[in-house]
Amino acid sequence: MLYVFRILAAAFSIYSLMCAARIVLTWIPGAAESGAGRFLCALCDPFLNLFRAGWLRFGAFDFSPLLALSVLTMASYVMQNLSAGARLSFASLLALVIQMAWSVVGSIIVFLIIVLAVRLIVFLTGADRSSSVWPQIDVHLNPFVYSITKFFSGGRPIAYKNALILAIVVVLLLRVGCEIVMRGLLRLCALIPF
């Protein structure tokens, strides 16, 4: 039976790599039409489409593949532990789900911090005036930025540079707060006797 778990762990890992390759192909124009692209689409899209929830889409950005890859990683981890003869408890599975959720949420927050920081740098250097990319990004980013500033400024107008800085600080604090909560939840999981 341990051998079966080992094979399943390897299968989940290989499928995870195939799904990651499929996701990367979506970033390359025309790559999905190649022979390898069609093969990966046929094999991976049914699984990836299970996770295409609207709550993981932020404007043009779709983070559902993160959740799909996290589920595959978690399944591989469980199978590896079972193949090693480890006994899985409710507490260890709960801790694993918490870590998976944090990996998705944490990745989204880090991505948002990076986008906000890059947007601030581009705004400060004036490089956004000659590019058509930034207005498209602003369409998705500004509602988030202005909802944060509206909350803290009481609805008073605030300069765009200051709005971006405030959004970065709030999102950084959110990341730290989520990290603290996640660690506390993991400590609580360690106290569960079953």
Side-chain angles (χ1 to χ4, degrees):
M1 191 63 165
L2 297 179
Y3 184 70
V4 172
F5 290 134
R6 202 169 298 137
I7 290 172
L8 287 172
F12 281 122
S13 294
I14 290 168
Y15 191 65
S16 180
L17 288 173
M18 293 171 74
C19 287
R22 167 62 183 124
I23 292 163
V24 169
L25 286 180
T26 64
W27 304 338
I28 303 169
E33 281 73 39
S34 68
R38 284 193 306 274
F39 173 75
L40 287 174
C41 287
L43 204 58
C44 299
D45 282 358
F47 175 74
L48 293 172
N49 289 339
L50 293 173
F51 297 89
R52 298 236 187 263
W55 57 275
L56 285 173
R57 181 176 293 277
F58 300 98
F61 303 108
D62 182 11
F63 293 99
S64 62
L66 278 174
L67 181 58
L69 292 176
S70 293
V71 167
L72 288 173
T73 301
M74 186 172 85
S76 177
Y77 177 79
V78 168
M79 292 301 140
Q80 285 172 358
N81 280 341
L82 291 173
S83 73
R87 186 174 163 338
L88 293 177
S89 66
F90 173 76
S92 65
L93 288 176
L94 183 60
L96 190 59
V97 168
I98 290 169
Q99 288 173 331
M100 180 192 73
W102 172 242
S103 73
V104 172
V105 171
S107 297
I108 292 170
I109 292 172
V110 167
F111 177 79
L112 187 56
I113 291 168
I114 291 169
V115 170
L116 287 166
V118 168
R119 182 62 185 113
L120 177 63
I121 291 167
V122 168
F123 178 77
L124 292 175
T125 61
D128 57 342
R129 293 184 194 105
S130 61
S131 172
S132 63
V133 173
W134 293 107
Q136 293 172 355
I137 291 174
D138 286 342
V139 165
H140 303 293
L141 194 61
N142 286 350
F144 173 75
V145 170
Y146 286 122
S147 66
I148 290 174
T149 57
K150 185 177 176 182
F151 178 79
F152 286 99
S153 71
R156 291 186 317 264
I158 185 170
Y160 190 56
K161 175 186 79 166
N162 296 338
L164 286 171
I165 293 170
L166 180 61
I168 291 169
V169 169
V170 167
V171 175
L172 280 169
L173 291 173
L174 176 67
R175 177 141 188 0
V176 170
C178 287
E179 178 84 24
I180 291 168
V181 168
M182 191 268 309
R183 288 182 186 203
L185 289 173
L186 290 177
R187 282 193 205 103
L188 288 175
C189 287
L191 299 175
I192 297 174
F194 51 94

